[in-house]
Amino acid sequence: MRSTIPLGRVAGIKVGANWSVLVTIGLFTWVLGSFLADTARPAAVWTAAVIGALTLIACLLVHELAHSIVARRSGIGVDGITLWLLGGVSELADEPEDARTDLRVALAGPLASLGLAALAFGAATVSALAIPDGPVTPTLVWLASVNVILGVFNLLPGAPLDGGRVLRAILWWRGGDRLRATTTAARSGQVLGTVLMLVGLAELLLFGHLGGLWLILLGWFLSAAANAELSVAGLRHRLADHRVGDVMTPDPMALPADWTVARLLRSEAPDTGHRVFPVVDHGGRPVRVLAWADLVAADERYCDGMSLGDLARKLPTSAVVRADDRLADVASHTVLRPNLDAVAVVDTGGRLTGLLTATDMVLACQRSALGLPVHHHRRRLP
């Protein structure tokens, strides 16, 4: 999920929104507008509905900020927060090192939502005394109620919900087995997602309520995310404590950003067998990544004279790592499309020292599953 609408930084944490959040705002506006229908004139009702919907989005942001701030104070890196159709996502760069930290990070969001609900109920009480008529008090009551629902729902014991993280932390603390705790929480998430889809389907078929579609969508997302968590757990188990330096290609061929495509095609790059290249600046720091597929997709009329810095794709933050980073962490936070993407490995000065491709990752998993060492330094990419 990518941020398409940058919203700036809050408490030093980058915040963005996926375009799908606009659907959520529209839905909240319609629901709240229907709830406020008889409280005032239509113009006032829909103005209050829009403000209420935007305030609820802000509440979702506070929920995620609580997770991110607690994580950062616990020494966990935070890449940012993305708001989207079903709420928000805190993008943590690392996993908690112990069960207690895992529990604190997981509980921060629901507690923030419940705290916001208490504030909204208090404001509604004051508003009812000061402005008994109009849409203000009902809007505050609606905000309080939805925050309670969000806080309680997120505490359901199934990953990737916060309650699933709480379950994982408790099982991890009691049994000392992080993998088993993660697997149990993910399987619980699968069951929860299936139940939500069935309830939504029943609501849709038996009662004709369109709200059932929302439950079906939510249940599908939970099931898919839980499946992904199971896959990541297995990946972490297979890769154990292996490091990026164990499987990366050291000293790969790097392309200067100021090269033109014509110069690239005249260089030795086409004869290397490489499919993906890091693009570096004048200081040898990787800034972009280029695949042959990028050249094929480029407009032939302008391709030859274009610089690689303009044509190549920007390296995501998660795709720049150190050689001593854990391979499992990189694999679980970075999606590498075969023959298209790569992870650049840098030294303490940010200069390129190695390259990690999807083929490297797959081969490492396969060798580990067969009981073979993952170390297989190669001078050439597949």
Side-chain angles (χ1 to χ4, degrees):
M1 193 187 323
R2 301 294 181 189
S3 299
T4 54
I5 307 172
L7 302 178
R9 291 180 178 270
V10 180
I13 299 170
K14 184 173 64 175
V15 178
N18 183 268
W19 65 267
S20 59
V21 77
L22 299 175
V23 178
T24 305
I25 294 173
L27 179 63
F28 285 159
T29 300
W30 177 73
V31 171
L32 181 54
S34 301
F35 178 69
L36 300 174
D38 298 326
T39 61
R41 295 179 178 178
V45 164
W46 291 110
T47 299
V50 171
I51 294 173
L54 292 174
T55 303
L56 185 55
I57 295 297
C59 291
L60 294 175
L61 176 58
V62 170
H63 178 109
E64 296 304 325
L65 278 171
H67 286 307
S68 296
I69 290 172
V70 172
R72 195 168 60 176
R73 290 180 177 176
S74 301
I76 301 172
V78 179
D79 292 332
I81 294 173
T82 300
L83 299 172
W84 73 298
L85 178 64
L86 296 179
V89 176
S90 294
E91 302 169 39
L92 304 185
D94 311 292
E95 289 286 333
E97 293 293 337
D98 56 78
R100 181 174 295 181
T101 301
D102 201 13
L103 183 62
R104 285 202 305 267
V105 174
L107 286 175
L111 291 177
S113 291
L114 295 176
L116 290 171
L119 287 175
F121 273 126
T125 301
V126 173
S127 174
L129 295 174
I131 316 172
D133 299 320
V136 176
T137 299
T139 298
L140 290 170
V141 170
W142 181 80
L143 284 170
S145 303
V146 174
N147 273 290
V148 168
I149 293 171
L150 288 173
V152 173
F153 177 79
N154 271 283
L155 286 173
L156 292 177
L161 294 177
D162 298 330
R165 309 288 185 227
V166 171
L167 175 62
R168 180 179 71 176
I170 293 173
L171 294 176
W172 182 9
W173 173 70
R174 293 186 61 181
D177 190 331
R178 177 177 180 169
L179 176 63
R180 178 171 293 182
T182 301
T183 301
T184 301
R187 287 176 176 163
S188 179
Q190 289 177 317
V191 173
L192 179 61
T194 301
V195 169
L196 286 176
M197 285 191 288
L198 291 175
V199 171
L201 184 62
E203 183 178 355
L204 184 64
L205 296 178
L206 298 179
F207 304 103
H209 292 168
L210 293 180
L213 292 174
W214 189 259
L215 286 179
I216 292 173
L217 176 61
L218 184 58
W220 170 81
F221 168 73
L222 290 180
S223 295
N227 289 334
E229 296 232 352
L230 280 175
S231 298
V232 170
L235 183 68
R236 286 182 173 277
H237 176 66
R238 289 192 297 272
L239 296 179
D241 290 325
H242 294 299
R243 304 291 166 170
V244 170
D246 296 334
V247 300
M248 74 178 188
T249 298
D251 302 320
M253 180 178 182
L255 306 177
D258 58 1
W259 270 19
T260 63
V261 173
R263 183 171 179 181
L264 168 64
L265 295 178
R266 292 195 304 268
S267 72
E268 63 178 10
D271 300 323
T272 62
H274 295 205
R275 294 189 176 105
V276 183
F277 299 88
V279 177
V280 298
D281 61 15
H282 293 292
R285 293 177 290 270
V287 290
R288 293 184 176 273
V289 62
L290 179 72
W292 290 121
D294 298 322
L295 296 182
V296 173
D299 192 327
E300 295 181 2
R301 294 173 298 175
Y302 308 105
C303 187
D304 286 352
M306 290 181 66
S307 71
L308 301 187
D310 294 330
L311 181 61
R313 289 166 287 116
K314 184 178 180 181
L315 270 174
T317 303
S318 61
V320 180
V321 302
R322 301 281 185 86
D324 59 353
D325 286 347
R326 287 191 299 185
L327 190 58
D329 291 339
V330 176
S332 61
H333 287 92
T334 306
V335 177
L336 296 180
R337 296 168 296 175
N339 304 329
L340 286 175
D341 298 320
V343 169
V345 187
V346 299
D347 60 17
T348 55
R351 293 177 294 274
L352 182 73
T353 60
L355 198 69
L356 187 66
T357 67
T359 302
D360 295 327
M361 302 283 261
V362 171
L363 183 57
C365 289
Q366 291 172 341
R367 291 174 65 90
S368 179
L370 292 171
L372 299 173
V374 300
H375 306 265
H376 62 288
H377 288 310
R378 293 171 291 114
R379 300 299 297 183
R380 297 292 183 186
L381 290 176

